[in-house]
Each structure stands twice: as structure tokens, then as C-alpha cells.
Amino acid sequence: MKPATAAFYQKPFIKKGWLRALIFLLFYFVFFLSVSVFIMLLAPDNIKNAGAGSGSFLFFSVILTAFFSILLVASFRKFIDRNSFSSLGLKFAASKKDALLGFLTGIILLLIATLIMVASKNLVWIAVDFNAIELLSGIVLMLLVAFYEELVFRGYILNNLLQSLNPQKSLLISALLFALAHFGNPGIGLIGFLNIFLAGVLLGINYVHTKNLWFAVMLHFSWNFFQGYVLGFQVSGIPLKSVLSQQTSGAAFITGGPFGLEASVISTLLYLLAIGVFYFYYNNKK
């Protein structure tokens, strides 16, 4: 291959990063509808009738969504971006510290929020049911959810927006799209939508500065897993089989209501605090 030809094939098929992100979004929206229709029409009756929070339904939908999300991103990256899949930020060896930081950030935020709710008597635990298989299943499923959602919204969409727009606009747009993707979740409400948007900002800050996904993946995972499978909160409105069974009382804007902790003003304040800390850290890092 001649050098000029090789250089041509290294250039994206579509020049503008924002346009690549937009076209990808359209495909992803069609794909998401198709998967939903597939589950409703072609999935076995015991899965369809089990409900969104059941193990069988959740396992089936997560596996299916993760597979096609990864396939779609990989296809766009190869044929539209003309770049490697790993260049989306998947090199783990160089980002172990960021991955650990993300994991601990999710746990710390969740621990503070939980302690506040317990101290204010808005939360009590009423039962304990340890099931090793459920926990192991939860780890696998929440890792898959964290990986494919971060791959889509930070790895592909934010990555391409950064090639056309300034970092602030790219981060805010990707976070808004992330929130819109959760708009159909049960019981979301205004505070829930705002919090998912803020979570998208928090998840994207590290990526803007490092171009590596593992901080976001591990933060996303630790927040979802410990929230849903250990402490008994709904995860974005979806109840899960948890070690601790809880009972909440008080105003919905404190407890989060049917959407769970992610619709609580406690989470709003903690997300804003964490965003401020990381913004200050990365913008003053030598």
C-alpha cells in the first residue's frame, strides 16, 4: 500500500466528530427500540412476565443490550472512525490508579449518602438475606451495565464530541444524552433526571483529561452494585435482590421515592461536591 493511501484509510470516514456522534446516536436509538421489541415479542414468556427487577429478565436484557452495544460501537469505531477499538480508552494497564479511584469514589459517595439517611431517620434496615449466587450474578451484571454504558456515552459519544467541541460543551452534551437515555426509567422525576445528568458529568470528567474509560466504568459499577445488591436501594428505579432489605420514610425528595437514592437531593449535593473536587483537581494538576 502506498503511503498516501495508508494515510487516507487512517482518516475518519466522516470528518466531523459531532456528526459521527449524532449518526451513532440515531443507530443506537433504533437498536435500543429493536432490542425492546425483541424482548417483548420473542423472549420466553417466563422472562417477559417476570418484571424488570427479576433476575431472569434483568440477566436477559443486560446480556442482549451489552452484546449489541459493544458490537455497534466496535463497528462504528472501525468503519466510521477508522480507528482501533482499544483507542476508545480501554487500555487498563496504564490506568489502574484511575480505576481504583473511580471504584472508591462510588463507594465513598454511597456511604456518605446512606449515613445521612440513617442519621436523619429516613432509612432503616429490616432484614438481612445473604445469597452468594445473587451477589456474584450482581457483580457480573453491574460490570456489564457499567462497561457498555460507559463505552457508549463516554468512550464513543464524548470521545467524538471532543474532536469537534470544547471539553466543557462536550462533557455537558454527553451527560445530557446519558440522562435522556434514562428518561423512561420508572419513577425518575425531575430530581432523578438532574442527578443522572450530574452523574454523567462526574463520570466524564476523568475521561476528558485522561481519555481512559476505567475510572468511569469502576465508579459506575461500585455505585450501582453496592447501591442495589448490598444496601437495598432501587437502581435508577429498578428494585434488585439485595443483602439488606430497607424501609424508607419521609419526603420523597429526601428518600428518592420509587426511583431510589438517585432521585434524592442528598445525591444532588454529593454529585455537585464530587464534580467540584475533580474539576479543581484536574484543572490544577501539574
Side-chain angles (χ1 to χ4, degrees), residues 144-155:
L144 275 174
V145 169
F147 181 76
Y148 84 73
E149 287 194 357
E150 293 311 311
L151 185 68
V152 168
F153 290 98
R154 257 59 67 181

Side-chain angles (χ1 to χ4, degrees), residues 18-215:
W18 68 266
L19 184 56
R20 296 196 297 271
L22 176 60
I23 294 173
F24 172 83
L25 267 175
L26 295 175
F27 273 82
Y28 190 74
F29 178 71
V30 172
F31 141 77
F32 200 84
L33 287 179
S34 301
V35 169
S36 300
V37 170
F38 177 85
I39 292 174
M40 295 308 298
L41 296 180
L42 301 179
D45 288 338
N46 64 316
I47 290 177
K48 288 188 289 186
N49 296 331
S54 71
S56 58
F57 184 94
L58 192 63
F59 184 84
F60 184 82
S61 59
V62 166
I63 293 295
L64 195 65
T65 306
F67 174 78
F68 283 105
S69 294
I70 294 168
L71 180 63
L72 186 63
V73 171
S75 299
F76 263 75
R77 193 61 172 169
K78 180 177 181 180
F79 298 110
I80 305 299
D81 298 19
R82 289 173 172 169
N83 209 330
S84 67
F85 186 65
S86 64
S87 67
L88 291 170
L90 297 174
K91 296 176 181 178
F92 185 78
S95 61
K96 292 179 182 178
K97 291 182 179 179
D98 282 329
L100 178 60
L101 178 61
F103 181 79
L104 292 177
T105 298
I107 292 177
I108 291 169
L109 291 175
L110 189 57
L111 179 62
I112 295 172
T114 303
L115 288 176
I116 291 173
M117 289 191 65
V118 171
S120 62
K121 298 183 179 180
N122 293 111
L123 168 66
V124 293
W125 284 290
I126 55 177
V128 178
D129 181 16
F130 180 83
N131 186 314
I133 295 177
E134 289 282 355
L135 277 181
L136 183 60
S137 173
I139 290 173
V140 173
L141 289 178
M142 291 300 102
L143 274 173
L144 275 174
V145 169
F147 181 76
Y148 84 73
E149 287 194 357
E150 293 311 311
L151 185 68
V152 168
F153 290 98
R154 257 59 67 181
Y156 194 85
I157 292 174
L158 179 55
N159 183 297
N160 275 286
L161 289 176
L162 286 167
Q163 297 176 40
S164 294
L165 307 172
N166 67 48
Q168 291 77 20
K169 287 182 180 179
S170 300
L171 182 57
L172 293 176
I173 291 172
S174 64
L176 178 60
L177 294 171
F178 181 64
L180 288 171
H182 292 78
F183 191 71
N185 285 43
I188 184 168
L190 180 60
I191 298 177
F193 182 83
L194 172 63
N195 283 350
I196 298 296
F197 168 77
L198 292 175
V201 173
L202 177 60
L203 289 164
I205 285 179
N206 177 273
Y207 191 85
V208 167
H209 291 274
T210 68
K211 301 299 186 294
N212 196 287
L213 271 179
W214 293 107
F215 170 90

